Amino acid sequence: MMPHDQIKLTLGVLAAVFGRAAVGLWIFASYQRVAPETKSRFASEDVMIGIVDQNGRAIDVIATAARQTYWNGWAALTAAAAAVCQLPIAFL
């Protein structure tokens, strides 16, 4: 059986790893853009609301929101994993 300090250290390291991954996924999600000509699973089918970004590129707003929501969902799950790793530390 591992001593309590080693268990706390292991859980703390796991929480830090999951926390950093969550931050990375959140930053990655914020930079997602979908061009109207892109054929992806996030592409708008019937209705396309398009805007032009600061660089003059067209962006499909609905598809961009869907892609950002997808990656933010993964970031939230990763943050939840970090929280699950931190919870037992308080009780050991």
Side-chain angles (χ1 to χ4, degrees), residues 4-85:
H4 289 305
D5 291 340
Q6 192 173 7
I7 293 171
K8 286 182 179 181
L9 177 65
T10 303
L11 289 172
V13 168
L14 282 173
V17 168
F18 282 127
R20 289 219 173 207
V23 169
L25 283 169
W26 180 74
I27 292 170
F28 177 73
S30 67
Y31 284 100
Q32 294 296 302
R33 302 286 185 268
V34 178
E37 63 273 2
T38 303
K39 297 296 181 193
S40 72
R41 62 182 170 159
F42 298 108
S44 301
E45 294 295 326
D46 299 328
V47 178
M48 207 271 302
I49 300 172
I51 62 170
V52 177
D53 69 359
Q54 65 269 21
N55 297 323
R57 297 177 301 201
I59 296 175
D60 184 347
V61 175
I62 296 171
T64 298
R67 182 178 284 177
Q68 288 178 348
T69 302
Y70 173 81
W71 286 109
N72 278 326
W74 281 109
L77 286 173
T78 308
V84 167
C85 289

